[in-house]
Amino acid sequence: MAMNDSINILNSAYLAVEYIDSFLPDNPLQQPFKNAWNYMLDNYTKFQIATWGSLIVHEVSYFLLCVPGFVFQFIPYMQKYKIQQDKPETWEKQWKCFKTLLFNHFFIQLPLICGTYYFTEYFNIPYEWEEMPRWYILVAQCFGCAVIEDAWHYFLHRLLHHKRIYKYIHKVHHEFVSPFGMQAEYAHPLETLILGTGFFIGIVVFCNHVILLWAWVICRLMETIDVHSGYDVPLNPLHLVPFYAGARFHDFHHMNFIGNYASTFTWWDRIFGTDSQFIAYKEKEKKQQLITKK
């Protein structure tokens, strides 16, 4: 009975969104995107699209999303939004991070990306424009992927902090006490594989078109680069996402090496009480701000 009620609620929600979508104006970018997509299908094989297309989407998205945080360090006005103002970025750290990223991207992640084509073939995942899900379905699927990845990340990340394991794997990611955006994927190769597994679980569950692979890559990179940015910028659109953790939440984890283990949302840390030190820290910060104003 409960299952039927849930299905009815989801169907009603879908119909409501579909009804609202029918009143929205046509997206002026849809036709150019359709033309580009069909051009890609006509001129490249599925293997090239799944492999090299996915690599390009990942690399371009990653480094473009890192640009704002990188530029902020040169803008004095933005320094008031930097969370750990006493720990500025250095060229030495950023260069070290960049070299490690290139190794991880091309020697760890690229071999995994090479399996994308075989995944889409095995599960008969379509590439055609006509099979592409509507934008609201894609948004819902990406949110579902984020929920699954967040659960995986919380428990495995917390395990990697165990005193018997931490120094061998996760310590690499914590070399930078004050994180910056490019450091989001700076990690031990084993950590890349362990925590990266959570990324693929949602794909297995929800994927009904190759576009979801790329949409979820962009969403996940947007989130992880934001929480590692080191800047708590106001009017951040990601803060509109329910229960979104944000940069200040994850920055505290890098400062203290404990608590706030989830990647995207706050509920797992709230359920298990691993955000208690962060909550106490925020309350202390608020009191200090009130004293300063007086």
Side-chain angles (χ1 to χ4, degrees):
M1 186 69 178
M3 179 65 73
N4 290 334
D5 290 341
S6 299
I7 292 172
N8 289 334
I9 290 170
L10 289 173
N11 287 336
S12 298
Y14 175 81
L15 291 172
V17 174
E18 195 173 47
Y19 179 73
I20 293 170
D21 183 58
S22 67
F23 289 97
L24 296 176
D26 292 337
N27 185 349
L29 298 176
Q30 182 171 335
Q31 191 59 45
F33 180 58
K34 178 181 179 180
N35 294 338
W37 189 270
N38 286 328
Y39 177 86
M40 178 184 71
L41 293 178
D42 292 339
N43 291 274
Y44 299 96
T45 66
K46 286 185 177 181
F47 178 82
Q48 290 172 324
I49 294 169
T51 305
W52 305 116
S54 297
L55 178 66
I56 290 169
V57 167
H58 180 270
E59 295 306 303
V60 171
S61 299
Y62 191 90
F63 289 106
L64 277 180
L65 290 166
C66 286
V67 167
F70 179 78
V71 173
F72 287 167
Q73 65 184 309
F74 305 110
I75 304 176
Y77 176 80
M78 296 304 297
Q79 296 313 301
K80 65 181 180 180
Y81 300 120
K82 183 168 173 57
I83 300 166
Q84 298 186 56
Q85 297 186 9
D86 59 332
K87 297 182 178 68
E89 297 90 344
T90 65
W91 286 110
E92 181 184 2
K93 289 180 178 179
Q94 290 176 96
W95 177 241
K96 181 182 180 182
C97 178
F98 180 71
K99 290 187 293 184
T100 302
L101 278 178
L102 290 182
F103 176 83
N104 282 350
H105 285 184
F106 290 97
F107 291 95
I108 305 298
Q109 294 183 12
L110 179 57
L112 296 175
I113 290 173
C114 287
T116 304
Y117 167 74
Y118 302 101
F119 167 79
T120 60
E121 286 295 293
Y122 183 81
F123 288 101
N124 295 317
I125 305 300
Y127 289 63
E128 290 73 22
W129 173 265
E130 293 73 21
E131 300 289 330
M132 192 178 294
R134 299 297 299 273
W135 65 269
Y136 45 86
I137 298 296
L138 204 56
V139 169
Q141 289 173 328
C142 286
F143 185 79
C145 287
V147 171
I148 292 171
E149 190 282 332
D150 185 67
W152 176 273
H153 192 101
Y154 176 84
F155 293 104
L156 272 295
H157 182 196
R158 189 172 177 180
L159 178 63
L160 289 176
H161 271 271
H162 191 281
K163 61 183 179 180
R164 293 185 179 179
I165 303 173
Y166 174 78
K167 64 180 179 180
Y168 299 110
I169 302 176
H170 193 52
K171 187 177 179 180
V172 174
H173 184 68
H174 277 283
E175 283 183 27
F176 305 115
V177 176
S178 178
F180 47 91
M182 191 167 58
Q183 189 236 336
E185 291 187 342
Y186 179 88
H188 190 285
L190 278 177
E191 178 173 341
T192 300
L193 294 172
I194 294 168
L195 296 185
T197 300
F199 172 89
F200 296 101
I201 298 173
I203 292 296
V204 173
V205 174
F206 294 109
C207 195
N208 58 353
H209 195 279
V210 72
I211 192 67
L212 177 62
L213 291 167
W214 295 353
W216 172 223
V217 164
I218 294 169
C219 288
R220 177 68 179 121
L221 290 180
M222 192 184 303
E223 176 275 325
T224 191
I225 290 170
D226 176 59
V227 301
H228 284 93
S229 68
Y231 290 85
D232 187 18
V233 180
L235 303 179
N236 184 338
L238 287 175
H239 292 165
L240 297 174
V241 178
F243 303 102
Y244 181 66
R248 192 169 289 276
F249 185 86
H250 192 69
D251 209 278
F252 181 84
H253 175 78
H254 276 265
M255 277 193 285
N256 298 277
F257 307 102
I258 191 170
N260 294 11
Y261 297 111
S263 58
T264 306
F265 305 107
T266 57
W267 51 60
W268 288 113
D269 285 285
R270 181 61 57 87
I271 290 170
F272 290 100
T274 46
D275 64 345
S276 58
Q277 291 189 31
F278 176 65
I279 292 171
Y281 171 79
K282 285 201 302 181
E283 290 176 352
K284 183 179 178 181
E285 196 176 51
K286 285 180 182 178
K287 288 179 181 178
Q288 288 177 338
Q289 289 174 350
L290 289 171
I291 293 170
T292 303
K293 287 181 181 179
K294 290 179 180 179

